[in-house]
Structures are given as structure tokens and as C-alpha cells.
Amino acid sequence: MTQTAEPAATQTAPRVRTEPNQRRVRVFFGGEAVADSGATVYLFETGHLPVYYFPRDDVRFDLLEPTSLHTHCPYKGDASYYSVLAGGRRYENAVWAYPEPIESVPQLRDYVAFYWDQADAWYEEDDEVFRHPRDPYHRVDVLNSSRHVQVRVGGELIADSRRPRLLFETGLPVRYYLPKLDVRPGLLTPSSKRTRCPYKGEAVYWSVRAGGELHEDIVWSYPAPIPETPKIENLLAFYNEKTDILVDGILQERPVTNWS
């Protein structure tokens, strides 16, 4: 077998990089907005989900207390930690910062980050975000299809459809979403399990009794998925390459694109 060298871009791609995020991001602890910023950055690190880093000036340091915890990352440097005191509660080591980052990521010096699961709520603009930041390079596409999809569990035919909707999500296998009428009745048992996805919303689950046993939580649905693109119906957008747009009284720079 002939081996082909990796493209140069792959070989030289940084393990850690940051990118500006123009969305307003807020993080709440104990009912208080501990950080509120329209100038966060995404931190992308190989093998990890993206992380929001907040400018220090946009963080309520009066609600933070330094702790004795310190950790080392070979790709970012030595991290210092803070606990959050808000709403009568203490959130231990919920915040970290790199006051003296390594040379490859000097920009981290002026930012701090929060452990997602320690916070009570996260918002992008006025929409709540669940589980982790939405990766701007992550896609979810749902396509109507005439493929014939059948589902068997324990040797039994559970579902049979020629009108599925195929969900393609970055880094994940294709998911086949079927009409409930194309699933055999009486085989699904509602479950108490619930999960949240930042790209789709809250899922509810069912277990399936087939082949003489109960197969737990193998079916899910989004009864009220987040309505991303429908939100802009009948609204007007202006090329910010060709107009002056102010956000909270601040004039935005004109980006340089193919439409400039």
C-alpha cells in the first residue's frame, strides 16, 4: 500500500486556536449574570468541544474568589481557578484563567472561562443554549427522503417507512427520523429520560419491548426542536458590507467579503 503524506495544512494546524465570537453570551450563577459579553472568543482545542472565553472586563470579579487550585496544560499553560459566590451559593472552582499562558496563545491572558455544567444557565443573545457552546463549524441538515427505512429490534420489525427524514450532523452517523404512524403501535414504552442538544433542543425517549426483552431508551424524539431559521421569517437584513450598522450604539466594522 502506498502511503501519502498528510497535507501541509494538517501537519501545521495548531492544536489550540481562538476565534472572535460576535454573539452576546451570558452565563448565570444563582440567578446572577456573572459574565455578560459581546466580545467573547471561541477556543478550539483538538479533541475537545469549543469553549467560550470572556474578556476579564466583562466578568463580575466581585463575585469571584481565588482558590488554591492550579493545573497545567502543555498547550495553554498554568491555570488558576476561582469559585463563584452568587445567589447565596458557592460554586467551587467554576472559573479558570491563564494569567501567563504559553507563547503560542498569548491572547488567553486577558480572558477567563467557566465550567459549563457548574453554571445555572447560558445564553447566546436571548436564546438559552444547552450542554455546550454551539460550534460555528458544526452543521445539522435534515432532508426529506423517499428511501425505504425499516427498523428491527430483537429480530422484530418495529418500523417501516418510505418517507423518512434524514438528519446529517457533523461527526455523527446519519439519523433516520420516521413518522409515528410508520412505527408499530404498542411496542414503545415512554421513558423518563431527557437529554438536551445545543443544535436540536430537548429529546424525549422510549424503550422498546421486542424479542422477549425490554430495550431501554433506544428511541427518541424532539417534540419542540429549536426553531433556528424560521425565526427570521419576514424580517429584513442589510448587507453590513455596504451600510453602517450600530449595535448597542457601537458602529460595527464593515467586513470584507465577496459582497463588499
Side-chain angles (χ1 to χ4, degrees):
M1 178 182 295
T2 302
Q3 292 186 342
T4 304
E6 291 183 336
T10 302
Q11 292 176 334
T12 60
R15 181 182 176 91
V16 177
R17 66 180 179 86
T18 60
E19 183 176 306
N21 174 25
Q22 295 181 328
R23 306 175 187 188
R24 179 190 184 191
V25 180
R26 287 174 288 170
V27 55
F28 287 81
F29 289 81
E32 297 191 58
V34 177
D36 183 344
S37 179
T40 60
V41 297
Y42 292 106
L43 182 134
F44 298 98
E45 183 171 0
T46 303
H48 297 274
L49 292 167
V51 177
Y52 295 127
Y53 273 70
F54 291 80
R56 285 178 171 269
D57 289 345
D58 294 338
V59 176
R60 291 279 307 276
F61 269 86
D62 59 306
L63 300 178
L64 304 188
E65 181 180 275
T67 77
S68 60
L69 179 64
H70 298 276
T71 59
H72 177 74
C73 170
Y75 309 107
K76 299 188 290 292
D78 294 320
S80 300
Y81 289 77
Y82 302 83
S83 294
V84 177
L85 288 78
R89 293 181 56 190
R90 181 185 183 88
Y91 302 80
E92 194 72 29
N93 294 315
V95 187
W96 74 90
Y98 290 93
E100 297 295 335
I102 62 175
E103 292 182 358
S104 60
V105 285
Q107 64 272 30
L108 294 186
R109 181 177 290 106
D110 300 320
Y111 291 83
V112 303
F114 296 79
Y115 278 112
W116 189 277
D117 290 340
Q118 288 234 38
D120 297 332
W122 290 80
Y123 284 83
E124 285 185 350
E125 297 298 337
D126 291 342
D127 284 357
E128 189 170 5
V129 182
F130 306 108
R131 291 200 62 194
H132 59 78
R134 293 175 183 159
D135 187 334
Y137 300 104
H138 186 104
R139 285 187 63 100
V140 176
D141 296 300
V142 181
L143 303 179
N144 293 316
S145 178
S146 57
R147 292 178 186 246
H148 184 195
V149 177
Q150 294 178 303
V151 180
R152 294 181 182 272
V153 177
E156 290 188 39
L157 181 65
I158 304 300
D160 190 327
S161 181
R162 295 183 182 273
R163 48 180 179 168
R165 288 184 176 171
L166 277 54
L167 185 143
F168 299 89
E169 184 167 1
T170 304
L172 296 176
V174 180
R175 302 298 187 188
Y176 301 92
Y177 282 73
L178 312 178
K180 290 183 178 180
L181 289 176
D182 292 346
V183 179
R184 288 177 54 196
L187 298 181
L188 272 57
T189 301
S191 167
S192 61
K193 181 176 180 178
R194 300 290 186 273
T195 60
R196 286 174 167 178
C197 170
Y199 307 106
K200 298 187 290 293
E202 184 174 66
V204 298
Y205 287 76
W206 289 265
S207 298
V208 175
R209 185 169 298 281
E213 60 180 299
L214 184 67
H215 303 262
E216 295 187 356
D217 302 328
I218 65 170
V219 184
W220 73 86
S221 177
Y222 291 93
I226 59 175
E228 284 307 303
T229 50
K231 290 183 178 179
I232 61 174
E233 184 177 0
N234 291 324
L235 305 182
L236 303 178
F238 295 83
Y239 274 117
N240 46 352
E241 294 91 339
K242 302 178 180 180
T243 61
D244 292 328
I245 297 180
L246 288 85
V247 178
D248 293 335
I250 300 173
L251 181 65
Q252 306 299 294
E253 292 185 6
R254 292 190 179 190
V256 178
T257 71
N258 293 336
W259 293 276
S260 296

